[in-house]
Amino acid sequence: MKPLSISASLIALALTGLLFGQSQPAADRTIGEVTSIDAAGRAVMLKEDKGAAVKISIGEKAILLRVPPGETDLKKATRIAFGDIGVGDRLLAAGTKASDKFEARTVVIMNKADVAQLQQREQEDWRKRGTSGILASVDPAEKTFVLTVGDKKYKVTATDKTEYRRYASDSAKYADSKESTIAEMKAGDQVRVLGNKDQDALQISAERVVSGTFTRVAGVITAIDAEHGDIKLSDLLSKKSVTVLVTPRSNTRRLPEGLANVIAQRIIPNGQSTPAPAVSGRGGAGAQITDLSQLLDRLPMITLADLKPGAAIILAGSPQQDTGHVTAITVVAGIEPIVTAGASLVQNLIGGWNLGGGGGAGDLGAELGQ
C-alpha cells in the first residue's frame, strides 16, 4: 500500500488552532503549500488549499514559527528565520490580504519532513484502527450507526468530538473529502471509521468518519474517447449502456492475469467462498485476499490509453443525476478470468469490494491518500 498523505484540512485545522489559541489581533488568514521562494524579496508563493496562488510578503518584523508534527500549542513552536522556509512546506499566514498579495504578520510552518512524519503516523493509525464497511442504518439523534463489514455488523458510537467527512464525487482520498455531519450519512453509503474497536461486542468508538455514496459497475468496454476521458460500457449485470468519466484523479489499475485467476477460483456462486489464497507482495506471503481495496495499491497503474474496446473492467464511482453516467474513482482492468467464470462471480466481486481504503483515510483505500 502506498504511503498515505495527510489531509490538507487536518493540517489546516492544527495550524489554525495554534493561531486561534493565541491572543492575536483580527487578521486575514491563508494556508497552503509553498511552491517557490523569493529570498531577495522576502516573499513566497503559496498554493492555497482552495486552489488559488497568492504571494506572501514576510517582512523583517514578522513572527516566523515552526511547529513539530502534531503539536497544537505554540509554546512548543520554535522561532525560525526566513531562510528556514522551504518549497513543499505547509504554511499558515496571518496578516492582511489584498487581491493576490498577502502581507504576513505571523507565519507558522510545518516543514516537508515533518509533514511526511505526520503522514506516516496517520497511515499507521488508520491501518491499526480503521474499519471499512457499508452503512446499514443511522440514528443521528443518538449519534450511532450500524456498519456492515463482511458478515458482521458493528454498532458505531460517536461523540460531540467525532469528525465527519464526505468523499468527493471523484475521489476516495481523505485529502479530497469535505466537512460533513452524521445527518448526511444514509443507508448504503460506503463508510470508513477511525476508532477503537471491540471485536467481541462488535462496537466501535468513532473518532473520524468518512462516508460517500458510490456505485460499482462491471462491464465490457464498447468505445473510448480518450480526449474527453469517456468510456462506454455494456454493464455485464444489467446489460445497459453506461458512460464512465475517467478524471485525472481516477485511480486506474490492472489486475494481473494470474491474480485474476486466483480471485476467480476463490469466489464461487451463491455467495460462498473457498479459503482465501495467499497473495505475495507488501502484505507478505500470508496476506489473504478479502476484497479489491486491499489489493489496489499493489496493482500496476495504467492510463486510459492502455484500455481497448472489448476489455472487461470493474469500477467504483459516483453516480450522476443521469443514472447512465458515472464518474470513476477507481477502475480495475484485467478481470476477464472472473467474467469468463460467470455473472455470479462478477456479482460477488462487486458486492465484496470495499472502496474505502484508507485513510487515511486510506488512501481511503489509504486513504489519506494522494
Side-chain angles (χ1 to χ4, degrees), residues 4 62 139 143 241 291:
L4 285 69
D139 187 340
K143 298 186 178 68
S241 177
D291 62 60

Side-chain angles (χ1 to χ4, degrees), residues 64-132:
L64 280 71
L65 302 169
R66 173 189 167 189
V67 291
E71 286 295 341
T72 57
D73 187 347
L74 273 186
K75 292 179 181 178
K76 303 290 181 65
T78 56
R79 288 268 188 164
I80 60 171
F82 179 85
D84 294 322
I85 301 174
V87 172
D89 288 352
R90 294 284 300 168
L91 182 149
L92 169 68
T96 305
K97 185 174 183 180
S99 185
D100 60 348
K101 296 182 180 180
F102 196 107
E103 294 287 339
R105 293 199 300 264
T106 303
V107 171
V108 183
I109 74 161
M110 187 180 292
N111 71 25
K112 192 174 182 179
D114 288 342
V115 170
Q117 182 179 341
L118 193 52
Q119 288 174 345
Q120 184 63 28
R121 289 184 188 176
E122 289 284 321
Q123 178 183 13
E124 291 302 320
D125 198 21
W126 277 96
R127 280 178 176 172
K128 292 177 181 178
R129 302 193 300 128
T131 304
S132 295

